[in-house]
Amino acid sequence: MLCLYQPGAWADQPSILILGDSLSASYGMSEAEGWVKKLQQNLPDAQIINASVSGETSGGGLRRLPGLLQQHQPDWVFVELGGNDGLRGFQPTITENNIEQLITLSKASGAQVLLSEVMVPPNYGRRYAERFQQIYHGLAQEHEVELVPFFMTEIATDPNLMQADGIHPNREAQGRIAAFLLPWFEQAIAE
């Protein structure tokens, strides 16, 4: 887990906790090469805490979140979880309940939420993929949180931007992900 946190150094700056899986944890490369580090370089007036863990499920994130909220007291929480739930074939209601609790806990702590849309590969079947996608749209609307389009949509279809496993973005893709997400984060910390 990459933690760019330095007590006291960021006291007056907005803080963003990234709660994600391998897509945000720089899987297959050093943390310094990942999109979170690149995003931090473009947001020098914000503190970004990367609490992402490869292989993390929505349930795992839910177990860790209370401690992270207490430790870091972020202004924003960027939730990028659920992909591993889908890859493991979890019932969508399980993922939906967990993501809803992540939103509720974050808001109860005083943090605002950016919710990343997450999609599963089409080979899981159209019905499952559509139901999975509906989780994020429905929860964003119900809880009035900003829904960020899935940052892998354009990248996943370009083999030049993917690692050999066909699941994870490569080094070249990291800058593109950071550039895609930058306006969402800029808008958030400007509020």
Side-chain angles (χ1 to χ4, degrees):
M1 174 172 58
L2 173 66
C3 185
L4 303 173
Y5 179 70
Q6 298 174 13
W10 306 87
D12 297 327
Q13 296 180 314
S15 57
I16 305 165
L17 176 72
I18 311 289
L19 188 65
D21 54 28
S22 58
L23 298 180
S24 299
S26 309
Y27 178 85
M29 65 195 74
S30 73
E31 292 170 344
E33 295 172 297
W35 71 260
V36 175
K37 179 68 172 178
K38 293 180 183 304
L39 186 72
Q40 178 68 77
Q41 292 166 352
N42 286 294
L43 291 172
D45 296 327
Q47 170 199 6
I48 298 179
I49 305 130
N50 192 356
S52 301
V53 175
S54 291
E56 188 73 285
T57 61
S58 61
L62 184 57
R63 284 187 291 279
R64 293 189 307 117
L65 183 61
L68 291 167
L69 292 172
Q70 183 176 14
Q71 179 183 359
H72 299 291
Q73 301 175 12
D75 298 303
W76 286 87
V77 177
F78 177 66
V79 178
E80 180 271 307
L81 286 173
N84 287 310
D85 298 30
L87 292 174
R88 295 176 189 183
F90 288 9
Q91 288 295 323
T93 52
I94 293 171
T95 303
E96 185 171 28
N97 290 337
N98 288 340
I99 299 291
E100 184 166 32
Q101 288 183 67
L102 290 168
I103 293 169
T104 303
L105 283 171
S106 297
K107 290 176 98 174
S109 78
Q112 297 185 65
V113 176
L114 282 172
L115 179 62
S116 177
E117 180 183 40
V118 175
M119 296 178 184
V120 294
N123 61 320
Y124 279 71
R126 182 177 171 182
R127 183 175 174 202
Y128 184 78
E130 287 177 355
R131 173 65 184 100
F132 200 84
Q133 191 176 3
Q134 288 170 359
I135 291 170
Y136 299 88
H137 290 264
L139 289 175
Q141 185 173 7
E142 180 182 345
H143 293 276
E144 299 179 339
V145 298
E146 196 71 42
L147 181 66
V148 179
F150 191 37
F151 58 76
M152 288 294 294
T153 302
E154 299 295 323
I155 290 168
T157 58
D158 185 345
N160 294 318
L161 298 175
M162 297 296 290
Q163 294 184 38
D165 63 11
I167 296 173
H168 297 96
N170 63 21
R171 286 175 182 81
E172 184 181 343
Q174 301 302 310
R176 293 185 187 208
I177 294 170
F180 177 84
L181 291 172
L182 181 61
W184 297 93
F185 282 77
E186 285 178 329
Q187 180 182 338
I189 63 175
E191 293 179 3

